[in-house]
Amino acid sequence: MEKKLEKNKLLKKAFLLMYPSSLLLAFISQIEEFLDALLAGGRLGDDAIAAVSIGWPGIAVILAVCAIFSLGVSLLLSINIGRGNKEESNRLYSIGMVTITTIVAIIGIIIFFVPGPMVKLFSGGATGDILTLAEIYARSYGFVIPLFFIEVILSQVLAIYGYNKEVAIINVLGIPVNVVFSILGLKWFGAINEMYAIAGLVFGYFVSTLFEDLGLLFIKFRKQIKLKIVTFTVKLKELLEIIKYGFSGGINFAIDAAICAIINLLLVRYIGEEALGFYTIVESIILLARAAAEAGGNAGAPLFGLLFGARDKNGTISAVKKSISVSLICTILWCLLIYAFLPVIIPFFSEEINPYTYNVVSRGVTICLLLIPGYLIIKCLASYYQAIGNFKRTLILTVIPDSIIFPWLMFILLAGFNLGYDAVWISYGGCYLIFLALIYLYYILNKGKLKWPIDKMLLIDNSFKEDVVFDFSTTSETNQKNSIISEKVIEFLKQEKYSDRIANMCGLCLEELNADFMEHIKNSKKDVNIEKEVMDIKLISDKGNLTLIIRNIARPYNPLDFTFNKNDFSKLGIVMIQKFAKKIEYSYVYKMNVITIEI
């Protein structure tokens, strides 16, 4: 049975606090993705842009392998942190930072020595200098791969704890570092051999990634995140669990890269080699436009994992809906801004933009911008499925639109309808909306209802096995309010046939912990405005145990971290709770103080 007394306000506020920094982070991430193409076109010419387009997919496949492990570790971390399991969290962090980083480093070494076959696989039939440049470009990334993996792990860890803003700042600082050292690298490597100049692009990325790794480590220690590398033994079962959670996202990355070979082949065959450069420019701008949509999924993913770990059914539904609605508004505004600045953005990709090039690129960007809402919905839903470890649904949403519908639709429109570049743009931008339309059509035919099936799509009944017996969100203002909340909890538990002892213990925990927090507010000048912040309460029955979860948004405050003074009765209630509770844990995640008590 479930009792929901008020609309959950805490999760909405938590998401809105995280979204701006996630938007900035996604924006910076997309800039980093097209920075090589931009610098290659501006400094080395159109052949270099095409070489980046050919060389990158092979590297992306390798990064996809890294993503399997990094996503798996970070998602399992969010679930274990959400449940207050510190020991397992430390083990996962250690496995990721030591064992898997070593594996990734070995992969990087292999790529450095054997880039040729990989590049030819994605060349689309290109030959000559373009192919040579692509091989040099891919080989250079062998040094970056392990640093990239460490950056992803640290970024995810900080995001789980709510420090997206700090991660974004480090990434913002990394952009000028990347640009400066890329330009220097172009000069230094070009002085050795003109063909090697393209390796300078990767040199800039290497230095900026190293800089970001050190910056993220500094933030971790400064914010006193207590995840640490501990002595551990790696079990095959653990590695398989990590792969299971990260496989869907990582394999999609690899499949997308593999599809690039097909796309390059279609472009060269039906339009010509010049299409490689045009497609790379349009894709780079659209990746930038998708930053607002990426932000919704990225901001929501840690929260989805935490709520799933805490078995919060209503909160999860609310968080997914909020991620879609907020992202949609921001994405529309962001796309309008990019469209307005196209005359400024396009010339950055080449020293000479003629009217023909500008018209092809601007038309492609415009068509794809109009179709971007489909990508947004897919991104948010895929982030949710990935966070709860639903491999099948994640793979369906991430693979079918852009890895199956996109190339087939492009082939049909090019070969069957001879639409030229329009075939490329319609396929690239519209594959997500077509997929959503197919899902909706299937639902209408199967259920006979016109309402969009968001709750059914989230598989709520299948994913949340435990019984959330009490779900309450309120505003903490006075001790009198605390008493009223406690009385409601006690009354409800007695109605549900729990013993008076259990009911009174839960009421006492809630009242004492919230009173202690309010006392902290009164004595804190910096937190004076938090006096009216939202508090979220969950009571969960699971296999005979009753778990009380209390959450609030505020600065980190651990009510369990104190020295008891017999002459000071302010902590007496906390001491009593520690005595009779089976287990009590505190964590600070996603800008929320979370206290978990097993009664």
Side-chain angles (χ1 to χ4, degrees):
M1 178 180 177
E2 183 176 329
K3 186 175 181 65
K4 189 171 187 293
L5 299 182
E6 294 183 15
K7 185 178 180 180
N8 195 313
K9 303 173 184 177
L10 180 133
L11 299 177
K12 174 182 177 181
K13 183 167 184 177
F15 182 83
L16 291 176
L17 283 172
M18 291 291 286
Y19 185 83
S21 56
S22 294
L23 175 58
L24 178 59
L25 192 58
F27 173 68
I28 296 302
S29 176
Q30 302 301 355
I31 288 179
E32 288 179 339
E33 282 203 30
F34 75 70
L35 194 58
D36 282 356
L38 190 152
L39 290 172
R43 296 274 174 168
L44 301 177
D46 292 342
D47 280 358
I49 294 181
V52 170
S53 178
I54 292 171
W56 173 250
I59 296 300
V61 171
I62 305 305
L63 294 180
V65 176
C66 303
I68 290 175
F69 291 110
S70 61
L71 288 171
V73 169
S74 61
L75 290 172
L76 285 171
L77 268 174
S78 68
I79 292 173
N80 280 280
I81 291 171
R83 290 181 175 174
N85 194 337
K86 295 181 180 179
E87 182 178 345
E88 184 62 21
S89 297
N90 283 326
R91 281 181 52 79
L92 287 165
Y93 178 71
S94 302
I95 291 171
M97 293 296 285
V98 178
T99 303
I100 301 176
T101 301
T102 303
I103 296 172
V104 170
I106 294 172
I107 293 173
I109 293 171
I110 295 173
I111 291 304
F112 177 77
F113 285 104
V114 194
M118 178 182 71
V119 171
K120 289 179 182 178
L121 183 64
F122 298 98
S123 65
T127 58
D129 288 347
I130 292 177
L131 191 61
T132 303
L133 288 170
E135 288 184 8
I136 296 171
Y137 177 76
R139 171 179 284 131
S140 305
Y141 260 97
F143 294 102
V144 181
I145 288 172
L147 295 178
F148 171 81
F149 176 81
I150 293 172
E151 180 188 358
V152 172
I153 288 286
L154 291 173
S155 296
Q156 291 293 329
V157 166
L158 291 172
I160 290 170
Y161 284 90
Y163 296 117
N164 260 12
K165 181 176 72 174
E166 288 77 5
V167 175
I169 290 172
I170 292 296
N171 278 265
V172 168
L173 295 175
I175 290 294
V177 173
N178 193 339
V179 172
V180 169
F181 280 91
S182 290
I183 293 173
L184 290 174
L186 289 170
K187 181 179 179 180
W188 294 338
F189 287 92
I192 299 172
N193 187 310
E194 186 177 347
M195 296 293 287
Y196 290 164
I198 197 169
L201 300 175
V202 186
F203 176 71
Y205 191 55
F206 171 83
V207 176
S208 66
T209 306
L210 178 61
F211 167 81
E212 289 165 10
D213 284 348
L214 295 174
L216 294 172
L217 282 171
F218 174 76
I219 292 172
K220 178 181 177 296
F221 288 119
R222 183 177 178 83
K223 297 298 183 181
Q224 298 181 348
I225 294 176
K226 295 182 179 180
L227 280 178
K228 58 184 179 180
I229 295 177
V230 297
T231 303
F232 65 94
T233 55
V234 182
K235 300 177 182 178
L236 179 61
K237 183 178 179 180
E238 286 178 314
L239 287 177
L240 292 177
E241 186 75 1
I242 290 171
I243 292 172
K244 171 190 171 184
Y245 271 81
F247 187 76
S248 55
I251 199 65
N252 173 61
F253 199 7
I255 292 173
D256 285 348
I259 291 300
C260 286
I262 298 174
I263 300 304
N264 289 342
L265 179 64
L266 291 173
L267 290 171
V268 172
R269 179 174 179 179
Y270 288 97
I271 301 178
E273 287 191 2
E274 69 164 14
L276 292 171
F278 290 154
Y279 175 74
T280 301
I281 296 174
V282 172
E283 183 184 34
S284 298
I285 297 174
I286 294 305
L287 287 175
L288 180 64
R290 287 176 177 174
E294 291 282 341
N298 294 341
L303 183 59
F304 302 152
L306 292 169
L307 294 173
F308 180 74
R311 296 155 291 186
D312 185 352
K313 177 164 50 174
N314 292 317
T316 303
I317 296 174
S318 175
V320 174
K321 289 182 177 179
K322 184 56 61 178
S323 70
I324 293 175
S325 60
V326 172
S327 301
L328 182 60
I329 295 171
C330 294
T331 298
I332 291 173
L333 296 175
W334 182 240
C335 289
L336 289 173
L337 185 65
I338 287 178
Y339 179 78
F341 279 90
L342 276 183
V344 178
I345 296 173
I346 293 176
F348 272 100
F349 287 89
S350 181
E351 292 178 333
E352 296 183 4
I353 291 287
N354 56 48
Y356 172 71
T357 300
Y358 181 85
N359 288 336
V360 171
V361 172
S362 62
R363 181 176 176 84
V365 171
T366 302
I367 292 173
C368 293
L369 288 178
L370 291 172
L371 300 172
I372 232 170
Y375 173 81
L376 180 153
I377 297 173
I378 293 293
K379 171 64 181 177
C380 290
L381 290 176
S383 294
Y384 166 74
Y385 291 132
Q386 194 167 16
I388 68 172
N390 191 306
F391 165 75
K392 182 179 177 181
R393 287 292 180 104
T394 307
L395 204 59
I396 288 173
L397 260 70
T398 55
V399 170
I400 291 180
D402 57 352
S403 299
I404 297 178
I405 296 178
F406 172 31
W408 273 106
L409 181 61
M410 181 175 164
F411 171 73
I412 292 169
L413 295 180
L414 280 173
F417 293 88
N418 196 27
L419 292 182
Y421 279 110
D422 282 349
V424 181
W425 317 137
I426 292 171
S427 306
Y428 178 61
C431 58
Y432 303 97
L433 281 175
I434 291 173
F435 180 65
L436 287 171
L438 291 174
I439 293 176
Y440 186 49
L441 180 61
Y442 169 79
Y443 181 78
I444 292 176
L445 294 175
N446 198 35
K447 301 294 183 179
K449 297 179 181 179
L450 296 177
K451 182 181 177 181
W452 183 256
I454 183 67
D455 292 359
K456 293 292 183 183
M457 290 188 69
L458 298 185
L459 301 173
I460 292 299
D461 293 336
N462 297 330
S463 301
F464 294 83
K465 303 298 184 183
E466 295 85 359
D467 184 17
V468 181
V469 297
F470 192 87
D471 184 356
F472 186 35
S473 181
T474 187
T475 301
S476 303
E477 296 182 6
T478 65
N479 288 336
Q480 182 182 6
K481 184 72 171 181
N482 296 339
S483 299
I484 293 174
I485 298 170
S486 300
E487 290 170 4
K488 289 182 178 180
V489 172
I490 293 170
E491 180 184 358
F492 174 75
L493 289 175
K494 288 181 177 180
Q495 289 175 354
E496 294 301 310
K497 308 303 181 183
Y498 283 88
S499 68
D500 289 350
R501 177 179 174 274
I502 293 293
N504 289 325
M505 285 169 60
C506 285
L508 176 64
C509 289
L510 178 59
E511 185 166 350
E512 291 295 338
L513 284 168
N514 202 40
D516 186 72
F517 179 72
M518 295 307 297
E519 186 65 25
H520 165 69
I521 296 301
K522 294 176 183 178
N523 297 327
S524 173
K525 293 181 180 180
K526 292 183 179 179
D527 288 342
V528 66
N529 292 325
I530 300 178
E531 190 169 342
K532 294 186 179 181
E533 284 297 338
V534 174
M535 179 179 67
D536 184 62
I537 305 164
K538 295 288 183 296
L539 272 173
I540 300 170
S541 177
D542 179 18
K543 299 178 182 178
N545 295 322
L546 195 63
T547 301
L548 171 64
I549 301 174
I550 302 172
R551 298 188 291 233
N552 57 58
I553 296 178
R555 290 174 179 273
Y557 166 65
N558 185 355
L560 309 178
D561 186 12
F562 66 91
T563 301
F564 182 64
N565 183 348
K566 293 183 179 180
N567 297 321
D568 181 5
F569 294 97
S570 62
K571 291 290 183 178
L572 187 58
I574 305 297
V575 174
M576 287 191 297
I577 294 172
Q578 290 177 313
K579 290 292 185 181
F580 65 69
K582 291 181 181 178
K583 180 180 179 182
I584 180 167
E585 296 277 358
Y586 166 83
S587 59
Y588 184 73
V589 291
Y590 211 80
K591 295 190 181 296
M592 295 185 292
N593 293 286
V594 182
I595 303 165
T596 305
I597 309 169
E598 290 186 11
I599 306 297

